[in-house]
Amino acid sequence: MSEASTENLKRTPLFDSHVKMGGKLVAFAGYEMPVQFEGVMAEHIWTRTQAGLFDVSHMGPCFLTLEAGIGGGDAAHAEISALVETLVPSDITSLKPGQARLTVLLNEDGGILDDLIITRPLGEDAQGTLYIVVNGAMKEQDWAIFEKALAGKAVLTRADDRILFALQGPKAVDVMADFFPGCEELTFMQHMPFEVNGQRCIVSRCGYTGEDGFEVLIPAEAGLPLIEEMYTDERVKPIGLGARDSLRLEAGLCLYGHDLNPEISPIEADLAWVIQKRRREAGNFPGAERILRELKDGPAKKRVGIRPLERAPAREGAEIQINGETIGVVTSGGFGPTYDAPVAMGYVAAAHAAPGTKIDLIVRGKARPAEVAALPFVPQNYKR
């Protein structure tokens, strides 16, 4: 997160709401976003115990639709899925109506260009389109890739003028059921369309905190009064980027640009599970030669959890050593309020990736004791 000048930054439809709620605003992914409201620690704990509302409108929601338009049932879904599968390694064709899947956008060397969620809509008449959400900092790159690779076959429609918000935490389902009756029937990575204040919106049961929760894509004119009303609920508080980062780190979730980049493969990132059996057998995705080789022989380095054994946290960029030899680097680090201790993630040589391995973290030039730890640091509470 940066606190650089806010000149020329974009604002989400919820900007005035952030100011009204007392948010401290910073520059993030080209937008003026709230880093905190009442404090990172308090917001983190609130989300783990109540319901935290996050503005994620800076991200890249979009729709990818067959040039011929929607309709056509399973055949249309198979056609649009085959197109997007030329760019990602996941099995999109097998998604059931209403189901979503996390995947990665790959370069020709098998490096990760972004992580994204792809959703198949409900209803036979809606087939032939996919609802996709990419990272805010990467959306222009991703959308240019889609448009270039699928020109003449599919049409990209941006939806980043709408409100995209997440309600996360153990009480999120009860709050959401008051506003979107029936959404409590969804399980993790399922979605359902709703109509609110006369406008269509999409409710997905997902999120990036490790808690049960939902994400909602809704036009601003309908979403603004909805969120104002949600803030009157004593179970709901606004949450900033600071707590969003500590929550995802405790949950062992990658942050693009830190734990993932174009040099790192999904196997090195411990994301082999995004590549389903059909795609592994076909090997028809970018960088398949490297990725299939790493699946078979193991990668040279691996993403791991790291538990500093002193109270001082290790930040991104800290070297990881054993007996003075550098074996890796920290890619995310901070204090875990629920874990009540410093936590970190990073990449180490595969030979040193086993949980319990004793390591040193070089912090301000001094070696600090730590050990490789299993991820996540706190249990994930998704409704499976």
Side-chain angles (χ1 to χ4, degrees):
M1 284 161 284
S2 167
E3 297 193 35
S5 168
T6 57
E7 188 177 358
N8 299 322
L9 291 173
K10 299 177 185 175
R11 293 175 173 178
T12 75
L14 286 172
F15 176 82
D16 289 341
S17 175
H18 299 326
V19 173
K20 179 181 174 183
M21 299 299 288
K24 179 184 178 183
L25 301 168
V26 299
F28 182 76
Y31 285 80
E32 202 170 357
M33 299 292 290
V35 66
Q36 64 179 29
F37 291 87
E38 64 175 302
V40 173
M41 179 77 78
E43 292 166 33
H44 181 113
I45 293 171
W46 185 268
T47 304
R48 289 267 185 255
T49 57
Q50 302 285 326
L53 196 152
F54 302 75
D55 180 14
V56 286
S57 307
H58 65 291
M59 295 185 70
C62 66
F63 298 89
L64 194 62
T65 307
L66 288 173
E67 185 86 15
I70 59 175
D74 290 344
H77 173 69
E79 187 175 351
I80 190 69
S81 297
L83 293 175
V84 81
E85 282 184 3
T86 63
L87 303 171
V88 305
S90 300
D91 187 345
I92 305 303
T93 303
S94 70
L95 288 177
K96 298 175 182 175
Q99 185 182 10
R101 180 159 282 159
L102 177 71
T103 187
V104 290
L105 191 64
L106 294 171
N107 61 29
E108 290 302 317
D109 295 324
I112 299 173
L113 294 170
D114 198 7
D115 56 328
L116 58 157
I117 292 178
I118 299 179
T119 302
R120 177 181 179 177
L122 284 167
E124 185 169 330
D125 292 345
Q127 302 307 307
T129 193
L130 297 169
Y131 169 46
I132 302 174
V133 180
V134 305
N135 276 303
M138 308 308 296
K139 61 186 178 184
E140 301 297 341
Q141 166 207 270
D142 295 358
W143 289 341
I145 291 172
F146 287 144
E147 291 183 319
K148 181 178 180 181
L150 308 180
K153 302 171 185 174
V155 177
L156 179 83
T157 304
R158 299 174 63 139
D160 59 339
D161 59 339
R162 307 181 197 182
I163 291 173
L164 182 65
F165 74 90
L167 192 71
Q168 302 279 292
K171 295 188 178 179
V173 63
D174 295 330
V175 176
M176 285 289 292
D178 291 343
F179 292 90
F180 302 92
C183 75
E184 66 273 18
E185 301 300 325
L186 296 171
T187 58
F188 186 59
M189 300 302 275
Q190 286 188 325
H191 94 291
M192 187 183 293
F194 283 86
E195 186 168 311
V196 174
N197 298 328
Q199 298 286 329
R200 287 180 61 81
C201 63
I202 295 174
V203 175
S204 305
R205 196 160 195 168
C206 64
Y208 218 64
T209 62
E211 294 298 324
D212 183 24
F214 298 80
E215 287 188 358
V216 180
L217 180 68
I218 185 169
E221 57 269 34
L224 288 170
L226 171 72
I227 288 175
E228 285 291 313
E229 191 174 354
M230 279 190 165
Y231 279 151
T232 66
D233 190 308
E234 63 181 10
R235 297 166 292 185
V236 178
K237 284 187 177 182
I239 308 296
L241 294 167
R244 182 169 178 252
D245 193 52
S246 58
L247 288 158
R248 72 92 196 163
L249 177 55
E250 279 189 339
L253 302 172
C254 297
L255 181 63
Y256 196 82
H258 300 264
D259 310 299
L260 305 176
N261 65 48
E263 307 298 322
I264 294 171
S265 78
I267 313 307
E268 292 173 329
D270 197 24
L271 298 176
W273 52 270
V274 306
I275 312 171
Q276 286 73 37
K277 181 179 178 182
R278 180 178 68 83
R279 300 304 309 278
R280 296 184 188 198
E281 291 177 347
N284 57 350
F285 48 84
E289 180 180 349
R290 171 190 175 185
I291 289 171
L292 294 177
R293 183 180 67 249
E294 290 181 350
L295 273 170
K296 179 175 178 289
D297 300 332
K301 62 181 179 182
K302 290 183 178 179
R303 178 175 64 93
V304 297
I306 298 166
R307 187 169 74 90
L309 299 179
E310 296 178 343
R311 296 296 285 181
R315 303 296 182 183
E316 180 181 0
E319 283 188 18
I320 304 170
Q321 296 185 351
I322 292 181
N323 297 326
E325 178 187 356
T326 299
I327 59 140
V329 63
V330 171
T331 51
S332 287
F335 188 79
T338 307
Y339 195 66
D340 194 26
V343 291
M345 292 194 298
Y347 285 84
V348 299
H352 305 296
T357 301
K358 301 299 181 186
I359 56 178
D360 290 320
L361 303 175
I362 308 304
V363 179
R364 298 190 183 93
K366 293 186 177 179
R368 302 293 186 184
E371 65 181 16
V372 175
L375 292 172
F377 293 102
V378 298
Q380 296 171 339
N381 295 315
Y382 307 132
K383 184 185 177 184
R384 302 286 185 181

